[in-house]
Amino acid sequence: MIHLGPFHGRNTHYTRHWIPSNGHILTGENEVILLKNLAACRVLSRNQMAELTGLNVRHSVTGLVKKGFLDEYRSDGAPPLYTLGVAGARVVKKRHSLYRTDELLRVTAANQLWIKMKKVWPGAAWDLEGSYPALLNGEQRFLVVAPRLIQGDNIYTLRAFNYIENKHRLFVVATSREHALEIARQSIPTNFVRYTWDALLKEGILFYLLEKQDLVPDTRFNPGS
């Protein structure tokens, strides 16, 4: 049985719902914290915001959407996702952006890895400015690619292999073990790529590598070391 997380992308379509700010103001420190985290991550679910901030975010998120500080993207088959609204972007001095469904899903899945890695690499940084998200830890740069079950996403992922260098590693966040194995078998063999998938990132971190055309746990790479 294939276990897919809520953001796998198959038959998923998001639409943007937003409300003009109409001069509303922020009323609490928690609202500012949420806006700053969205500025850093661009797209988050409510559960991700709660895990990142340690806050009970339900009422704060609802209020920020109603005031126009957050845009809410809704889908019939997946949980809502949130980005900075026009007013929220103005507060944190970021450009307001609109997102396609594939962009929302990829960034959300990549952010899930960042949320887990941040706990074991507290000094790491998260960079979303390039072609692919990047996790920076010391002198090492790890590209994070999160293909979804959307047409063309495997090609999008395989292009990232062109960026691999001695100090440039790659994490692939697939939708399932089967999806990760499919990508691994299609890719150029290299020791610089590690695979994980949505179900593994619910509670912690576990990486796999390709050996003899199968995925095996990577016992040598421990992000907590």
Side-chain angles (χ1 to χ4, degrees):
M1 181 179 180
I2 298 176
H3 296 280
L4 296 173
F7 303 112
H8 54 78
R10 179 174 291 161
N11 300 322
T12 303
H13 177 71
Y14 276 94
T15 55
R16 175 179 174 244
H17 294 259
W18 62 284
I19 299 173
S21 64
N22 293 325
H24 289 294
I25 62 173
L26 297 173
T27 58
E29 182 181 354
N30 289 355
E31 293 181 329
V32 176
I33 291 172
L34 291 177
L35 292 181
K36 288 181 177 180
N37 275 274
L38 269 166
C41 295
R42 295 190 182 175
V43 183
L44 291 169
S45 69
R46 288 193 188 202
N47 286 342
Q48 288 177 327
M49 282 189 266
E51 187 168 358
L52 267 175
T53 64
L55 301 173
N56 184 343
V57 303
R58 181 177 180 181
H59 296 298
S60 294
V61 169
T62 299
L64 287 169
V65 172
K66 289 181 177 179
K67 295 175 183 178
F69 289 100
L70 295 185
D71 287 348
E72 182 178 56
Y73 286 82
R74 300 175 187 172
S75 171
D76 290 338
L81 294 172
Y82 300 90
T83 67
L84 289 173
V86 174
R90 191 180 302 123
V91 169
V92 295
K93 296 180 173 57
K94 293 286 186 178
R95 179 173 59 88
H96 177 253
S97 299
L98 302 178
Y99 295 88
R100 304 187 310 264
T101 293
D102 59 336
E103 294 171 323
L104 291 166
L105 293 170
R106 289 172 186 163
V107 176
T108 301
N111 279 333
Q112 186 65 20
L113 176 64
W114 159 240
I115 291 168
K116 298 302 181 183
M117 293 294 283
K118 186 179 180 185
K119 296 177 181 179
V120 294
W121 285 349
W126 189 227
D127 179 9
L128 290 171
E129 295 301 321
S131 300
Y132 298 91
L135 178 65
L136 312 176
N137 186 50
E139 296 183 356
Q140 289 190 319
R141 183 180 180 88
F142 299 83
L143 295 185
V144 180
V145 187
R148 306 290 89 189
L149 298 178
I150 297 173
Q151 185 176 3
D153 258 30
N154 282 13
I155 295 174
Y156 157 84
T157 301
L158 295 175
R159 286 176 181 161
F161 283 72
N162 296 327
Y163 291 87
I164 297 173
E165 301 171 357
N166 287 338
K167 289 188 178 181
H168 214 138
R169 308 295 197 265
L170 181 63
F171 290 142
V172 177
V173 182
T175 62
S176 65
R177 186 187 191 282
E178 291 78 7
H179 189 203
L181 183 58
E182 175 188 345
I183 294 169
R185 288 176 173 173
Q186 292 176 355
S187 65
I188 301 170
T190 173
N191 291 326
F192 296 143
V193 181
R194 295 297 180 268
Y195 299 88
T196 188
W197 47 90
D198 294 352
L200 295 179
L201 294 175
K202 285 184 177 180
E203 302 299 332
I205 308 170
L206 182 61
F207 290 106
Y208 283 70
L209 71 162
L210 186 67
E211 286 188 358
K212 298 179 180 179
Q213 293 300 298
D214 196 12
L215 290 175
V216 297
D218 183 2
T219 58
R220 293 166 292 179
F221 177 68
N222 176 9
S225 61

